[in-house]
Amino acid sequence: MDPVPASDSLDSDALFELEPAVTHAVGFAELARLPLLELVAADWAEALAPVEGNLRDVLAFLGREAAEGHEVLPSPSNVLRAFRQPLAGVRVLIVGQDPYPTPGHAVGLSFAVDGATRPIPRSLANIYKELEADLGLPPRIHGDLSRWADQGVLLLNRVLSVRAGAAGSHRNKGWEAVTTAAIRAVANRFAADGSRKPLVAILWGKDAEAVRPLLGPTPLITSAHPSPLSASRGFFGSRPFSHANSLLQEQGDGTVDWELPPLP
């Protein structure tokens, strides 16, 4: 059984081409007062409207955390970054837990870090090892996963913020209601002919597998978490990237090019 992880990476050491909807000059308290359409992509604004109150409450909580002198990660401009990827374009969902608690690492996409971060977190290094074993793609020294996001890979943490140095510190503060609505929205998109839009969900570890009931008939790829604590117990050898491409092809949606550029 996988251990209960403290962050999406379980690393103690420890993108997307659109311009940020908000700037670093805007704080969390200000985010809580902005129109939803200024925070997320238009189709996400519609999907998240039922939980807008929850979202504003948790952003206000982050404002209070910052006002009390706590460093909140990621930055205000990145905290909703996953939702700047249009909902309509999502093809693969990869569920993380909560952001890396090391300052400078979290960028608003699960498992990703800033392209300048060295060394990359160990969970991400293990993901790269499996990517090489699965598809023969070379590991990278950087952790910028925006090329995946550009192709419709939604890198979504269950909890979208954390207090610096305190993994898991923003669990049960309201994010779960928001990301539950987001996952349901991704899984319940229909084409004009009434068929479900293509989607594959990759769930690494017990925390991620807990969202299984939200995904309906979505094809799932599940394994142990890539953390050094559990990667050898089922993550290595699981071949999630080739399996995801096969499942996308079965749904008539081509493949994801999982190769990342040598440098961000």
Side-chain angles (χ1 to χ4, degrees), residues 18-34:
L18 291 181
E19 289 298 317
V22 292
T23 69
H24 285 276
V26 175
F28 293 108
E30 287 78 14
L31 288 187
R33 296 190 289 269
L34 287 176

Side-chain angles (χ1 to χ4, degrees), residues 7-11 94-100 107 109-113 121 123-124 127-128 143 145 148 155-157 202 204 225-227:
S7 71
D8 70 9
S9 67
L10 275 148
D11 287 294
I94 298 180
V95 179
Q97 293 146 40
D98 58 342
Y100 299 111
V107 292
L109 302 178
S110 64
F111 296 101
V113 292
S123 288
L124 184 54
I127 290 171
Y128 287 172
L145 304 183
W148 293 358
L155 299 160
L156 182 67
N157 281 322
I202 298 176
W204 289 326
H225 195 278
S227 160

Side-chain angles (χ1 to χ4, degrees), residues 91-92 151 198-200 241-258:
R91 307 163 65 206
V92 177
Q151 298 178 77
L199 179 68
V200 176
F241 307 101
S242 61
H243 286 170
N245 279 348
S246 294
L247 290 168
L248 285 175
Q249 287 181 309
E250 289 174 10
Q251 298 174 71
D253 197 34
T255 61
V256 172
D257 180 357
W258 294 101

Side-chain angles (χ1 to χ4, degrees), residues 22 27-29 31-32 36 39-40 44 48 50-65 72-84 95-99 106 108 156-163 166-184 211 214:
V22 292
F28 293 108
L31 288 187
L36 201 53
L39 299 175
V40 300
W44 273 119
L48 296 178
V51 291
E52 181 176 356
N54 303 81
L55 176 58
R56 295 195 183 282
D57 286 347
V58 72
L59 290 174
F61 161 74
L62 300 187
R64 294 192 297 273
E65 284 273 275
V72 175
L73 307 174
S75 65
S77 65
N78 278 331
V79 70
L80 296 174
R81 184 177 180 183
F83 299 135
R84 296 204 302 272
V95 179
Q97 293 146 40
D98 58 342
L156 182 67
N157 281 322
R158 277 293 271 157
V159 173
L160 301 185
S161 66
V162 68
R163 187 185 292 183
S169 51
H170 287 176
R171 294 188 179 196
N172 300 314
K173 302 297 185 182
W175 283 124
E176 290 86 353
V178 176
T179 56
T180 291
I183 292 167
R184 282 186 171 138
V211 310
L214 307 177

